[in-house]
């Protein structure tokens, strides 16, 4: 049984809550290998792959031979578009490439559960009552986080759905990111030091992933 500290919507500690075992008590035979594979897939899929360099057929310039073959006393010279000349094409230049790496859905979900289990085991998962922001307020958001954590750290705040006042309240804070409960993935969990989930987000994540 894994527990997490529960806070009020104003950042006051009010007790503890038992986390769902289907999300926060998951184990597997080779967790490091699986997480490495999923993180590598995620980073590869973030690459646009649109970078490219011009080869000798793409740069502008005449096909004419610059100097005659013999009688000049110098080395043989070809066209001006060769890679050895300034303004010429690049030899073996990089070309656009699709970096997409497919991975089974079961592996992605298992990696997410392993990441959540790791954070919960280290006491880095915090549960908070649903935030009450009638209008966006960065100052109030900062005060709440200072009460809960009291230190500068990478924080990921999970809400149920796109709560615009909450997102606008936290997005200007340094090292703080927000995401929806139904869109979690392993990389963002491992890339934060503290995971703050609202009660409704916890229920939503259990419904979607468990």
């Amino acid at each position: 049984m894994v527990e997490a500290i529960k806070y009020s919507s104003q950042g006051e500690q009010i007790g503890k809550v038992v986390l769902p075992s289907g999300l926060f008590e998951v184990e597997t035979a080779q967790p490091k290998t699986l997480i490495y594979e999923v993180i590598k897939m995620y980073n590869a899929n973030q690459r646009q792959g649109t970078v490219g360099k011009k080869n000798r057929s793409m740069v502008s310039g005449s096909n004419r031979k610059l100097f005659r073959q013999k009688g000049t006393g110098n080395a043989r010279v070809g066209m001006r578009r060769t890679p050895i000349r300034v303004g010429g094409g690049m030899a073996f230049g990089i070309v656009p490439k699709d970096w997409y790496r497919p991975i089974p859905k079961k592996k992605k979900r298992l990696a997410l559960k392993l990441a959540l289990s790791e954070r919960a085991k280290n006491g880095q998962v915090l549960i908070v009552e649903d935030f009450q922001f009638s209008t966006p307020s960065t100052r109030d958001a900062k005060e709440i986080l200072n009460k809960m954590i009291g230190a500068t750290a990478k924080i990921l705040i999970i809400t149920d759905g796109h709560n615009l006042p909450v997102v606008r309240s936290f997005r200007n804070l340094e090292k703080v990111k927000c995401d929806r409960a139904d869109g979690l993935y392993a990389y963002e969990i491992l890339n934060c030091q503290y995971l703050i989930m609202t009660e409704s987000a916890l229920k939503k994540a259990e419904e979607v992933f468990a």
Side-chain angles (χ1 to χ4, degrees):
M1 183 176 66
V2 180
E3 293 183 337
I5 301 176
K6 183 178 179 179
Y7 295 85
S8 68
S9 59
Q10 300 303 316
E12 304 292 342
Q13 185 173 338
I14 56 177
K16 291 188 176 182
V17 61
V18 178
L19 298 176
S21 60
L23 285 178
F24 297 92
E25 293 185 69
V26 178
E27 296 181 357
T28 188
Q30 295 180 327
K32 292 183 178 180
T33 303
L34 175 62
I35 290 178
Y36 169 78
E37 184 178 352
V38 172
I39 296 301
K40 188 175 182 180
M41 174 275 303
Y42 174 80
N43 287 329
N45 292 348
Q46 301 309 301
R47 301 182 67 170
Q48 293 182 347
T50 55
V51 63
K53 301 296 182 180
K54 291 183 178 181
N55 56 30
R56 62 190 298 171
S57 67
M58 296 178 179
V59 297
S60 61
S62 172
N63 288 333
R64 183 181 66 86
K65 189 175 175 66
L66 294 178
F67 305 105
R68 60 178 179 162
Q69 180 83 350
K70 296 181 179 295
T72 63
N74 297 319
R76 294 172 290 182
V77 178
M79 67 179 71
R80 66 176 301 153
R81 294 187 296 171
T82 57
I84 63 174
R85 291 194 170 272
V86 175
M90 176 173 287
F92 310 110
I94 188 172
V95 295
K97 177 181 178 180
D98 184 9
W99 292 93
Y100 176 73
R101 285 174 172 264
I103 193 168
K105 184 177 179 180
K106 288 185 178 180
K107 281 190 173 183
K108 289 193 291 186
R109 291 208 167 185
L110 181 55
L112 170 63
K113 294 176 183 180
L114 290 172
L116 290 172
S117 301
E118 178 68 19
R119 288 291 177 259
K121 183 168 53 176
N122 295 332
Q124 296 171 291
V125 177
L126 310 177
I127 306 300
V128 63
E129 295 178 338
D130 292 348
F131 293 109
Q132 304 297 330
F133 287 99
S134 56
T135 57
S137 175
T138 302
R139 182 179 61 183
D140 293 344
K142 187 175 182 179
E143 290 179 358
I144 292 173
L145 293 182
N146 286 336
K147 290 180 182 178
M148 296 177 63
I149 300 175
T152 302
K154 282 188 175 181
I155 301 172
L156 178 63
I157 297 176
I158 306 300
T159 60
D160 178 21
H162 187 64
N163 193 324
L164 196 57
V166 174
V167 174
R168 288 181 174 177
S169 298
F170 287 100
R171 69 181 178 181
N172 288 330
L173 296 176
E174 187 180 7
K175 298 182 180 180
V176 177
K177 294 184 178 180
C178 298
D179 198 3
R180 295 170 48 166
D182 56 357
L184 293 176
Y185 49 95
Y187 179 84
E188 65 176 352
I189 301 297
L190 296 174
N191 196 37
C192 72
Q193 293 173 274
Y194 287 94
L195 178 65
I196 299 178
M197 301 183 71
T198 62
E199 288 183 316
S200 58
L202 181 61
K203 294 179 182 178
K204 185 67 174 180
E206 184 179 11
E207 176 185 343
V208 173
F209 298 108

